[in-house]
Amino acid sequence: LHRIGDDIHLGAYTATRSEGDTSLTSRYPVPIGELERENPALARVLLDGEIDHIPDTEDPAVSEFARSVARARGHRSRVAVPLRRGGTAVGGLAVTRAEPRPFSADDIALLQTFADQAVIAIENARLFRELEARTGELTRSIKELNALAEVGQAVSSSLDLPTVLATIVSRAVGLSGAAGGAIYEYDEAGEEFYLRATDGLPDDYVQIGRQGRR
């Protein structure tokens, strides 16, 4: 089973023998233009929605690319059908036989049915990933709103400046995924920065910071 992205990817395959599997998997991902040059018949399946039926892979009309894969994998006949979602190509599904003989019309129709089911599975996986991403974004938004609410509550309900600053730097570190953070205050008269609040910083750094720096 092939899938189309920026390149052509091998989505799944049945194992045969190790050298044949390696010959197959080592070719992917392959740029679309390169596949069109090496295996134009398969490219037409994936990109144009055609069916590629090869009763004998040793036929001189078959590309050297396809023959080499067939020899390595040990098959002599193949049929490939497209995977399409609406009018968009998303990949292709191919099956092979060890002996050289044609696939029947019923065989090809059945394979297309499986290909249609694969499209549904791919679409469901895509929708699930999008749902996970949206859920993650919503979770992050909720965490940010909660953190901002805590900061707002600290600012409005307390006159204890160290407590307010400690809350601010703690929530900033948590939301940004940082290892530590600090708030400095600039003293215009002395032209120095003073460390007023920290979170997650080493003690020796804190001690140095509290001495003030120009």
Side-chain angles (χ1 to χ4, degrees):
L1 187 146
H2 295 88
R3 296 188 61 184
I4 301 174
D6 294 335
D7 297 318
I8 304 297
H9 297 265
L10 184 65
Y13 68 97
T14 54
T16 55
R17 48 198 181 197
S18 59
E19 63 271 23
D21 295 343
T22 300
S23 174
L24 177 67
T25 58
S26 64
R27 297 175 184 269
Y28 296 93
V30 57
I32 293 175
E34 184 176 326
L35 182 70
E36 288 178 314
R37 290 190 300 271
E38 291 187 341
N39 196 348
L42 180 58
R44 287 193 295 271
V45 173
L46 301 180
L47 304 177
D48 300 330
E50 297 182 9
I51 294 174
D52 182 33
H53 183 196
I54 305 176
D56 187 354
T57 57
E58 290 299 320
D59 187 317
V62 176
S63 71
E64 181 57 36
F65 177 96
R67 285 201 301 273
S68 65
V69 172
R71 291 165 183 166
R73 296 269 289 167
H75 64 260
R76 284 288 300 274
S77 57
R78 189 200 76 190
V79 62
V81 298
L83 272 62
R84 299 186 75 81
R85 183 177 65 245
T88 304
V90 297
L93 178 62
V95 294
T96 62
R97 285 196 182 112
E99 66 274 8
R101 62 186 176 93
F103 288 83
S104 69
D106 288 342
D107 291 334
I108 296 173
L110 181 60
L111 182 61
Q112 187 64 67
T113 299
F114 280 108
D116 294 341
Q117 293 300 313
V119 171
I120 293 173
I122 291 170
E123 178 67 5
N124 287 344
R126 182 186 67 82
L127 293 174
F128 181 72
R129 288 193 299 271
E130 290 181 356
L131 177 60
E132 281 189 318
R134 287 197 297 269
T135 300
E137 291 173 359
L138 179 60
T139 300
R140 287 191 296 273
S141 296
I142 292 174
K143 288 181 179 179
E144 291 172 0
L145 289 173
N146 288 338
L148 291 173
E150 290 181 26
V151 170
Q153 183 178 7
V155 170
S156 62
S157 64
S158 176
L159 297 178
D160 182 7
L161 182 59
T163 298
V164 173
L165 295 181
T167 300
I168 292 173
V169 70
S170 173
R171 296 301 176 267
V173 167
L175 286 177
S176 64
I183 295 178
Y184 284 87
E185 181 183 3
Y186 180 63
D187 177 36
E188 292 185 2
E191 296 184 341
E192 292 182 319
F193 287 94
Y194 289 92
L195 185 62
R196 295 306 188 194
T198 67
D199 185 82
L201 297 180
D203 291 339
D204 54 349
Y205 179 92
V206 174
Q207 292 301 321
I208 295 173
R210 292 197 185 283
Q211 296 173 10
R213 287 291 181 269
R214 291 184 179 276

